[in-house]
Amino acid sequence: MNEKRTCLECGETLKGRADKKFCDDQCRSNYNNKANSDTTAEMRNINNILRRNRRVLVSVVKDDGKGKISKSKLQDKGFNFKYFTQTHTTQKGTLYKLCYDYGYMPIENDYYVVVRWGKE
Ligand SMILES: [Zn+2]
């Protein structure tokens, strides 16, 4: 009946109240910080893809905040079309996909327009 309970963070044997899960506040906050941080491999992977996508879009855009590139060139640069952060539909009904603050939209002949998303 005397089950040995251990701290969820450091594994130390716990004394005291039966509902105790950590030896002290430090262990509790370490444990909670880990649980809340974006440390899963899958999340890191997706974040890296999104960051790379944004870097590619940045490289396409000229000083005026716009650019144009073919689909195959985007792919050569390592752009991943499966991942984007949000979509935006303009008043004219054009759908842009965005990676953070850069958007892109397919146009004719397998080309894409890329725009830096300024304040509108
Ligand atoms: Zn502990």
Side-chain angles (χ1 to χ4, degrees):
M1 197 57 214
N2 216 353
E3 206 178 309
K4 203 170 105 178
R5 290 168 304 113
T6 55
C7 173
L8 289 177
E9 170 63 16
C10 70
E12 277 292 309
T13 305
L14 293 175
K15 303 181 192 92
R17 292 196 333 262
D19 60 345
K20 231 176 141 183
K21 292 187 185 125
F22 303 94
C23 34
D24 55 23
D25 287 344
Q26 187 61 56
C27 277
R28 178 191 304 279
S29 85
N30 286 351
Y31 182 87
N32 288 333
N33 285 345
K34 266 187 233 164
N36 294 332
S37 64
D38 75 5
T39 49
T40 72
E42 180 67 6
M43 285 182 72
R44 265 202 306 274
N45 199 15
I46 292 172
N47 287 340
N48 285 339
I49 292 170
L50 287 169
R51 274 197 287 267
R52 187 171 60 224
N53 276 357
R54 183 181 181 277
R55 269 202 305 278
V56 171
L57 296 176
V58 169
S59 75
V60 174
V61 163
K62 308 249 176 16
D63 287 342
D64 66 354
K66 289 177 188 150
K68 203 171 126 183
I69 186 172
S70 69
K71 184 174 190 178
S72 60
K73 275 220 179 103
L74 273 178
Q75 282 162 337
D76 286 349
K77 286 168 176 278
F79 195 81
N80 186 329
F81 289 90
K82 277 201 305 203
Y83 292 93
F84 49 91
T85 57
Q86 73 262 47
T87 60
H88 178 88
T89 308
T90 64
Q91 285 179 345
K92 288 179 190 159
T94 309
L95 177 73
Y96 280 87
K97 287 176 178 169
L98 281 82
C99 289
Y100 304 105
D101 52 343
Y102 282 76
Y104 59 99
M105 172 193 69
I107 53 172
E108 69 282 348
N109 301 327
D110 265 349
Y111 265 78
Y112 281 81
V113 161
V114 180
V115 292
R116 185 168 54 224
W117 220 257
K119 296 182 188 85
E120 285 171 279

